[in-house]
Amino acid sequence: MTVISVLLILSCLLLLGSSRLHVAIRVVAAQGLLLGVLPIVRSAENLHVAILILGLSTIVSKGILLPWLMNTCLRLSGIRREIEPFVGFGPSLLCGTALLGLAVWIAVRLQLPQVPLILLTSSFFAILVGLFLMVTRRKAITQSLAYLVMENGVYGVGISMSLDFPFLVELGILLDVFVGVFLMGNLLFHLDREFEHLDADKLTELSDLSEPAPAGEERV
Amino acid sequence: MELFILGCVIPVVLGLGVLPIRRAQTALWVATLGVWLGCACAAIPVVSVLTGHDLPLRQMAWNMPGGALSFGLDGLSAFFCLPILLVAPLAALYGCAYLAHEKKRLGPVLFFYNVLTASMLLLLVARNGLLFLIVWELMAVSSFFLVVFDDEKPHVRQAGWTYLVATHIGTAALLVLFAILGQQAGSLDFEALAKAGLSPALASVLFVLAVIGFGTKAGFMPLHVWLPEAHPAAPSHVSALMSGVMIKTGIYGLLRLLTLLGNPAPAWGWTLVVIGLVSGILGVAFALAQHDLKRLLAYHSVENIGIITLGIGAGLLGLTWQQPVLIVLGLGGGILHVLNHAIFKSLLFLGAGAVVHSTGTRDIDRLGGLIKSMRWTAVTFVVASAAISGLPPFNGFVSEFLIYFAGFSGARADAPQTVVLAIGIAAGLALIGGLAAACFAKAFGIVFLGEPRSAQAAGAREVGPAMRWPMAALALACLGIGLLAPAAVQTVLPAVRVVGHVPVTATQEATVLPTGGIAKPGLAMAATDSDEPSPRPAALTMPPTEPTTLAVRSLAAIVRVSAGLLVLAVGLFVIRRHLPRGSEEVATGTWDCGYARPTARMQYTASSFAQPLTDLFRLVLGTRKHGGVPEGFFPPPATFETHTPDTAREHLFAPLLRLIDRSLAPLRRVQRGRIHEYLLYIAIVLVLLLIWKAGGRS
Amino acid sequence: MKIMPWALPLAAWILAPLMLGIINRVKAFFAGRRGPSVWQLYYDLFKLLRKASVYSRSTSPVIRVGPAVVLACMILATLLLPWGGLAAPTTFTGDIILLAYLLGLARFATVLAALDTGSSFEGMGASREVQFAALAEPSFFLGMLVLVLHFGFSGLSNMVAGISLETWQTSGVLLILVACSWFVLLLAENCRIPVDDPNTHLELTMIHEVMVLDYGGPDLAYVLYAASLKMWIFAALVVNLLVPMRSLAPWLQAPVFLAGIVLVMVLVGIVESIVARLRLQQVPKILIGSALLSLIALIVRLVG
């Protein structure tokens, strides 16, 4: 479990530092796989079918299906394969360090008994990184990616608290994500046709307000 | 004690005596004699205190408001005297040659130099709040007059003005501080103040005031704004004294106050640690971006004050966590760094002064190749550069090692806060050290190595013996403390005891440890203290309560390695010369990748050298670039320059002062320049006071 | 004086050039060439020692003293390295701090000697070297802190002697993280791909190699030998972390240690063959990343 947590943290840092979209998608897919293995590892002693199904479904949905969707989006829309950040990658990594500290602090301060702290830490970190990526990355597709990272974090927190809890929440969130991805895909094509660019930042041009709204926050 | 006071009086008296003397040479030597005599007198009691004798508190017959006129010399004061006693005379001697060709009358500058020296000494022994403040102010004012020595230049006047404002903001905080403290204790004597029994909340308020008041003098980020202005403006030997020694009075004040405030709260320690890290890292980052040699050095003072504060912060946290190792080695490292920094920073300023003296420019990018014409200056400068970068075998490494040692041995896996501190110390100090090495590679490399970049640099000549010898002495001190590290640690312990309240154990054992090996040939380093690795985890075999012994033992080993390093380096050099054809040399041009006509201006400049690092810190530095790349086939001449203003000054103080200025504008109506009106105000206030007092009586 | 501890530095002094030969052979293998003999560096060193030297007219004694200082630092640094159960000839609490600063002193001397020539190429290399070093040092110290937390603060010999198979079972993640972090430093500090290219000194890769452009004869021999020792030092640190020496029989320790070092060299060769060199702007990122690896290890130690 420690190994999985560490890999989760590392994958989040990789997301902060990488400039390639397809790398980012692959990393998120890897996160999905990790999270799928997680419930199985956590209950290695009394493994039963429900947990196996939970794990496998996670692997299929987060590790395979969603990344595949994203990749398809990426290919079909033909956008440039680079992530365009508002905050550079080096500073992003430094912010990531701060977020890591924050995650540790939160995890320790919650003082939940019977919860593996390291897993809680890494999950909180994933949530924070997801939020950070959403705010600081320009493209719409990175935003849905970031949303997925955050969702992974929520899932991780759920797993670390209890094994049954995530099932319900998970279903709801996954639905959200699917809708989000489809909406985004739709949006991407329309944007592409209308504006010949896919910067969520430039959605502000649609606004009636004379002053452009602060960039990159509202939509997912 | 009388001897010490005499030591303070002599320089002032001789300084006064200098004022009417017209012949520059005589005046210089008389004033310098004063400093030397004074420091010699003061040195006797200082040495006796540092070797373990106690001096009783001396109360003069006169009383002052709020207590007695009392002086005392304890371990803390005595240790802080050391930098003054070492640097002030050497810098004065240097000043003799530096000022010899001045056209101006030298009386005032000599007088104020002597007053500054005396007031710093007096400050360290003052044991009464009011006396402390008076001497503090005396020190500030005398140094102000030294800063504005070249008062015909507008930028010098501007710098003096900045310094005056900054130092008085600090003094204001101290005034409030001592007023509150005195009110609580009923007296301003330090003895009484220590027994004031403050509530924790009030103590914290006082601590904040002390950080502002003393931090302004010491140069904590972001209160440092006066340093990069005032140090370059002052004559170099004065910069050496101010930057090397005077700013340390801020550290002394803070430590002294901590002895009065009772048990420190954890937040104090963290505050100092954070201030230390911020000052350290940003100080060196700003230094990297500078082109003015003396301004660069001034920013390095901020950096080193950061290191000192980091050590003291660790010591305070040790006090709250009851960890002797943090107390002794954190405080010890911080305080020892005070002495070390005084030595190498004043040496660097003297070196910079020598460069300015012989080339007439402080712009690093106009210098170069000075090592060939100024060999002494270059050698001492490189020693100081290595020392300030914390490299062995010089003194900077010793104090930084102690702070690392404190952080590492204080870290316990079951106490996360100790680990956070250790991360701060380990990563912070390593980063500061790396950046400082980069910055001094730039400072030394661009100024002294390569080819001269301007006619001034090409025409440089070595400075005279009165300027060379003080530099050589300080360089020897850098090496000396590096090689006598265990003894140096022993000297700090009395000071640590004053602040740390804890009995320092096992120093006796430490003193008998062999500090030798210096005379031994390098490769004969015996494995005397190499314990065979024990089968148990090492943590259990190490007694945690004897930090000094362990650290001293490590330092003794480091001294052996350092000595080995010196011997080995010399040996390898000699071997290399005695290889079959080792002494054959062919002289040619620098390899230029086939380019036919290289010029000196094509060398890497200081700005280009530092550019990758300043780019990393661009968010805080806010470096501005003017000019750009040439365009087209036949481009017109292009220029490019960078300029890094002080962020704190531009974005914190300037808006703040503008705000104050604007909000107080209505008050200007009161001030119309008519003397009668002012007299009227005085009269009104007087009458009102009388009425209030009389009314209160009934 | 005990004889045995000296075996280690002696091995380093004799074998270090061989290791660079191994890397070159691995790289040649991947490139489909036969490559130079593994002993090539020894031939080079002997050849250079018998030569006279050429100095630029711009230089001062700094460039003449520089190589001696660099080599002295490296030789002394090897005295601080243990292997498994065998302590280093000099070990004391906090020796690893000295180790880091000896490397720092060597770097300072190299950089100054480079600036001494007045060449803008060497200035460029020096500038990049100090930049990357400033970022690499925190990473090294954080890794050190992980070891200190886990094994207690004492000499390096004592700390690595604590590593055994049980350590691997309980906290192998820590060791792997720190070892990875230090391996990145090994690549960065020894001017290896993906940070720098040891074979060229084109403008794009100018870091270490370009700083030593103006050396020749015995000076170059010193510099090359010192570089091979530096490689050995970093490799020894990584191997000490990764191989649980204490669980081995004493007679096995030395061969395993040497095999470990060879393996690290092979790994370096493979990395150099299959990874593309990073753009210079990316290098700070991987150095920060290396520091983060150690930071994660610290977090694992604290909350795991």
Side-chain angles (χ1 to χ4, degrees):
Chain A
M1 201 152 53
T2 314
V3 178
I4 292 181
S5 310
V6 168
L7 288 176
L8 194 58
I9 297 177
L10 284 178
S11 64
C12 289
L13 288 172
L14 205 59
L15 279 174
L16 285 175
S18 94
S19 58
R20 308 265 158 195
L21 258 177
H22 64 267
V23 172
I25 293 175
R26 238 177 270 163
V27 169
V28 173
Q31 270 188 359
L33 295 182
L34 282 175
L35 287 175
V37 179
L38 192 62
I40 302 173
V41 172
R42 235 204 121 188
S43 55
E45 280 96 49
N46 47 357
L47 195 62
H48 48 90
V49 186
I51 290 175
L52 259 179
I53 292 174
L54 173 67
L56 288 178
S57 65
T58 312
I59 290 179
V60 170
S61 63
K62 292 187 172 186
I64 300 170
L65 197 58
L66 278 173
W68 175 76
L69 264 175
M70 298 234 167
N71 262 328
T72 316
C73 256
L74 194 60
R75 204 176 52 245
L76 288 180
S77 61
I79 50 178
R80 286 184 62 210
R81 306 292 170 89
E82 275 173 5
I83 294 171
E84 294 163 37
F86 289 118
V87 178
F89 299 109
S92 289
L93 272 178
L94 287 182
C95 291
T97 318
L99 292 180
L100 191 55
L102 184 64
V104 175
W105 189 75
I106 294 174
V108 173
R109 286 313 287 268
L110 280 180
Q111 292 186 326
L112 300 169
Q114 307 269 312
V115 170
L117 267 179
I118 183 75
L119 185 56
L120 204 58
T121 305
S122 55
S123 309
F124 274 122
F125 183 55
I127 295 177
L128 292 173
V129 166
L131 282 171
F132 181 83
L133 287 177
M134 255 186 244
V135 176
T136 58
R137 299 297 188 255
R138 202 182 292 255
K139 281 197 172 113
I141 191 162
T142 16
Q143 308 224 317
S144 53
L145 209 63
Y147 188 72
L148 208 57
V149 175
M150 195 175 83
E151 200 273 328
N152 283 344
V154 173
Y155 179 86
V157 172
I159 292 279
S160 59
M161 301 239 198
S162 89
L163 282 170
D164 312 323
F165 157 72
F167 223 39
L168 287 173
V169 182
E170 188 60 15
L171 280 176
I173 296 178
L174 271 182
L175 203 64
D176 271 4
V177 175
F178 271 112
V179 173
V181 169
F182 277 126
L183 264 182
M184 187 197 65
N186 229 333
L187 206 61
L188 283 180
F189 293 125
H190 288 293
L191 273 178
D192 201 21
R193 221 170 300 143
E194 297 293 324
F195 296 99
E196 299 181 347
H197 56 64
L198 286 166
D199 288 1
D201 183 28
K202 299 195 178 143
L203 284 177
T204 46
E205 286 173 17
L206 294 173
S207 160
D208 290 336
L209 298 171
S210 55
E211 212 171 323
E217 265 145 22
E218 294 85 26
R219 67 281 104 249
V220 165
Chain B
M1 202 65 239
E2 283 79 2
L3 211 51
F4 193 93
I5 305 287
L6 185 68
C8 300
V9 173
I10 292 176
V12 180
V13 171
L14 283 181
L16 270 177
V18 160
L19 284 176
I21 298 181
R22 293 227 162 252
R23 260 202 56 183
Q25 280 298 321
T26 330
L28 282 167
W29 290 110
V30 170
T32 307
L33 184 71
V35 176
W36 279 81
L37 276 181
C39 287
C41 287
I44 297 168
V46 168
V47 169
S48 92
V49 166
L50 286 179
T51 47
H53 302 279
D54 281 334
L55 277 187
L57 196 69
R58 173 75 190 175
Q59 296 214 341
M60 295 292 162
W62 310 296
N63 273 339
M64 316 188 51
L69 184 64
S70 54
F71 300 98
L73 188 66
D74 57 8
L76 185 64
S77 305
F79 189 84
F80 273 81
C81 283
L82 284 180
I84 305 176
L85 299 179
L86 188 68
V87 174
L90 290 173
L93 180 62
Y94 177 97
C96 284
Y98 191 78
L99 295 175
H101 303 292
E102 271 305 326
K103 305 280 183 300
K104 260 187 228 170
R105 285 205 48 192
L106 295 176
V109 70
L110 295 170
F111 171 67
F112 284 119
Y113 184 91
N114 287 16
V115 172
L116 177 60
T117 309
S119 59
M120 286 192 295
L121 284 173
L122 207 56
L123 183 82
L124 298 179
V125 293
R127 288 294 179 272
N128 174 296
L130 194 61
L131 178 65
F132 187 90
L133 281 178
I134 291 172
V135 180
W136 182 264
E137 199 50 29
L138 193 62
M139 186 176 80
V141 172
S142 58
S143 51
F144 164 73
F145 282 113
L146 289 171
V147 169
V148 293
F149 174 65
D150 283 325
D151 53 4
E152 69 279 359
K153 297 177 190 153
H155 75 94
V156 170
R157 287 200 298 274
Q158 177 67 30
W161 178 238
T162 308
Y163 173 50
L164 204 63
V165 171
T167 189
H168 280 97
I169 291 174
T171 311
L174 294 186
L175 212 60
V176 178
L177 166 75
F178 277 106
I180 298 176
L181 204 55
Q183 200 187 17
Q184 293 290 316
S187 156
L188 277 172
D189 283 337
F190 281 2
E191 271 191 318
L193 294 182
K195 297 184 192 103
L198 303 163
S199 70
L202 188 61
S204 289
V205 171
L206 294 181
F207 175 76
V208 172
L209 282 173
V211 167
I212 295 172
F214 293 120
T216 312
K217 182 65 75 179
F220 291 171
M221 258 305 155
L223 301 168
H224 68 281
V225 282
W226 66 271
L227 274 131
E229 305 298 324
H231 288 323
S236 290
H237 67 297
V238 174
S239 321
L241 190 67
M242 283 177 67
S243 182
V245 183
M246 192 192 73
I247 60 172
K248 308 302 167 28
T249 56
I251 299 292
Y252 167 79
L254 192 60
L255 287 172
R256 177 61 67 193
L257 194 88
L258 286 171
T259 64
L260 305 179
L261 288 186
N263 285 330
W268 302 2
W270 286 118
T271 310
L272 289 186
V273 167
V274 170
I275 289 177
L277 286 174
V278 170
S279 307
I281 296 171
L282 293 190
V284 68
F286 273 104
L288 270 165
Q290 303 305 318
H291 317 295
D292 178 331
L293 186 55
K294 286 175 79 177
R295 212 174 143 87
L296 178 148
L297 294 178
Y299 273 114
H300 267 285
S301 293
V302 177
E303 173 230 320
N304 278 279
I305 287 290
I307 296 176
I308 293 166
T309 316
L310 183 62
I312 293 173
L316 280 195
L317 286 175
L319 276 172
T320 44
W321 299 334
Q322 294 298 312
Q323 279 207 19
V325 62
L326 277 180
I327 304 172
V328 177
L329 299 181
L331 280 176
I335 297 175
L336 184 60
H337 202 73
V338 167
L339 175 64
N340 290 339
H341 177 245
I343 295 172
F344 49 65
K345 181 47 65 66
S346 47
L347 173 53
L348 287 167
F349 265 114
L350 296 186
V355 170
V356 175
H357 193 74
S358 87
T359 64
T361 178
R362 298 195 307 247
D363 187 347
I364 300 176
D365 285 339
R366 298 189 158 277
L367 297 166
L370 293 184
I371 191 169
K372 293 182 201 84
S373 46
M374 305 176 71
R375 191 148 289 189
W376 279 67
T377 313
V379 170
T380 53
F381 200 92
V382 78
V383 167
S385 299
I388 199 172
S389 311
L391 297 174
F394 301 108
N395 56 356
F397 179 67
V398 178
S399 36
E400 288 191 22
F401 179 81
L402 286 181
I403 299 176
Y404 275 122
F405 202 104
F408 277 142
S409 45
R412 301 264 176 281
D414 50 357
Q417 71 272 28
T418 61
V419 181
V420 174
L421 176 66
I423 292 176
I425 288 180
L429 267 187
L431 184 63
I432 293 170
L435 292 175
C439 193
F440 275 95
K442 159 186 140 176
F444 180 78
I446 307 295
V447 171
F448 288 96
L449 302 177
E451 294 286 339
R453 291 176 179 75
S454 67
Q456 295 122 304
R461 277 182 302 121
E462 180 61 291
V463 291
M467 285 166 80
R468 285 200 306 243
W469 283 107
M471 292 195 280
L474 287 170
L476 274 182
C478 282
L479 188 61
I481 293 185
L483 292 181
L484 298 172
V489 175
Q490 300 299 329
T491 330
V492 186
L493 290 179
V496 173
R497 246 175 249 137
V498 173
V499 187
H501 313 299
V502 284
V504 180
T505 54
T507 52
Q508 271 69 33
E509 192 198 337
T511 42
V512 299
L513 265 174
T515 56
I518 301 161
K520 273 190 223 161
L523 280 176
M525 275 173 295
T528 43
D529 49 4
S530 69
D531 308 321
E532 282 293 333
S534 53
R536 283 175 297 153
L540 299 178
T541 60
M542 192 185 72
T545 50
E546 302 193 339
T548 334
T549 323
L550 259 180
V552 166
R553 196 179 291 163
S554 292
L555 281 175
I558 285 174
V559 167
R560 281 199 299 276
V561 176
S562 298
L565 181 71
L566 290 177
V567 174
L568 194 60
V570 171
L572 284 170
F573 186 69
V574 170
I575 290 174
R576 185 225 164 292
R577 302 307 278 191
H578 285 87
L579 286 169
R581 298 176 62 196
S583 50
E584 280 179 48
E585 286 185 12
V586 181
T588 171
T590 297
W591 168 240
D592 44 22
C593 297
Y595 186 72
R597 293 194 49 195
T599 69
R601 289 191 56 208
M602 288 167 61
Q603 292 174 92
Y604 235 51
T605 60
S607 321
S608 40
F609 187 83
Q611 178 262 332
L613 280 167
T614 49
D615 266 10
L616 273 187
F617 287 95
R618 61 182 174 274
L619 281 179
V620 266
L621 292 181
T623 302
R624 286 173 205 156
K625 297 175 178 168
H626 312 281
V629 285
E631 282 172 11
F633 291 116
F634 300 101
T639 59
F640 179 79
E641 60 183 283
T642 59
H643 173 60
T644 307
D646 196 287
T647 309
R649 189 187 170 96
E650 290 233 320
H651 298 292
L652 181 64
F653 289 104
L656 194 69
L657 291 179
R658 266 202 300 278
L659 186 73
I660 294 174
D661 191 38
R662 227 174 303 146
S663 54
L664 293 186
L667 277 182
R668 288 219 189 98
R669 242 171 287 161
V670 183
Q671 186 188 19
R672 287 194 218 168
R674 262 185 246 148
I675 259 187
H676 303 91
E677 276 184 30
Y678 297 155
L679 288 175
L680 177 68
Y681 300 146
I682 294 174
I684 290 174
V685 171
L686 209 63
V687 171
L688 281 179
L689 278 176
L690 277 173
I691 293 172
W692 178 54
K693 200 70 191 166
R697 181 85 29 107
S698 68
Chain C
M1 195 199 312
K2 280 165 281 185
I3 301 294
M4 268 314 281
W6 287 90
L8 181 60
L10 214 59
W13 299 340
I14 297 171
L15 294 178
L18 177 65
M19 298 302 152
L20 291 188
I22 292 177
I23 295 183
N24 283 336
R25 275 310 268 270
V26 173
K27 283 162 76 175
F29 171 79
F30 272 85
R33 293 181 281 116
R34 256 186 61 228
S37 150
V38 288
W39 308 104
Q40 186 60 45
L41 188 53
Y42 293 93
Y43 304 144
D44 289 348
L45 290 178
F46 281 115
K47 177 187 73 185
L48 289 169
L49 283 176
R50 282 182 283 113
K51 286 195 164 193
S53 28
V54 179
Y55 289 114
S56 156
R57 277 180 289 270
S58 304
T59 57
S60 69
V62 170
I63 200 171
R64 294 164 174 79
V65 176
V69 173
V70 174
L71 187 54
C73 287
M74 292 305 164
I75 290 180
L76 280 167
T78 55
L79 295 185
L80 301 171
L81 293 172
W83 64 22
L86 200 56
T90 312
T91 172
F92 51 88
T93 313
D95 48 6
I96 194 161
I97 303 171
L98 180 65
L99 179 74
Y101 272 83
L102 280 176
L103 297 180
L105 178 61
R107 185 180 311 117
F108 193 65
T110 319
V111 166
L112 287 190
L115 288 173
D116 196 22
T117 60
S119 153
S120 44
F121 297 108
E122 293 181 43
M124 192 183 289
S127 159
R128 291 169 181 172
E129 170 91 355
V130 293
Q131 181 203 3
F132 298 148
L135 294 174
E137 292 216 343
S139 173
F140 186 67
F141 274 86
L142 283 178
M144 206 184 291
L145 185 57
V146 178
L147 298 187
V148 166
L149 269 191
H150 203 69
F151 300 106
F153 186 43
S154 60
L156 185 59
S157 305
N158 241 326
M159 290 199 276
V160 299
I163 300 176
S164 64
L165 276 179
E166 294 89 71
T167 327
W168 269 94
Q169 278 153 12
T170 54
S171 44
V173 186
L174 289 185
L175 295 176
I176 291 179
L177 282 171
V178 177
C180 286
S181 160
W182 282 4
F183 187 74
V184 173
L185 293 187
L186 177 147
L187 295 175
E189 289 272 311
N190 291 289
C191 58
R192 295 281 143 189
I193 295 173
V195 175
D196 188 5
D197 190 340
N199 294 328
T200 75
H201 35 71
L202 292 170
E203 284 89 338
L204 295 176
T205 49
M206 278 182 179
I207 304 179
H208 185 265
E209 287 311 304
V210 80
M211 284 201 294
V212 300
L213 261 184
D214 261 271
Y215 289 113
D219 288 326
L220 187 58
Y222 275 23
V223 168
L224 289 177
Y225 185 53
S228 71
L229 282 178
K230 187 172 184 184
M231 187 61 144
W232 176 283
I233 290 164
F234 275 93
L237 285 174
V238 173
V239 171
N240 266 319
L241 284 183
L242 287 184
V243 185
M245 291 283 187
R246 228 165 49 80
S247 308
L248 298 174
W251 61 269
L252 252 177
Q253 287 179 1
V256 168
F257 179 81
L258 291 179
I261 292 217
V262 171
L263 267 180
V264 170
M265 297 300 155
V266 172
L267 194 61
V268 171
I270 295 174
V271 169
E272 283 207 78
S273 305
I274 63 173
V275 176
R277 202 184 56 76
L278 288 171
R279 284 161 65 209
L280 274 173
Q281 288 94 324
Q282 306 281 333
V283 174
K285 234 163 70 178
I286 71 160
L287 290 174
I288 295 175
S290 135
L292 281 172
L293 284 176
S294 291
L295 203 63
I296 293 171
L298 277 175
I299 288 169
V300 171
R301 181 71 186 84
L302 279 185
V303 301

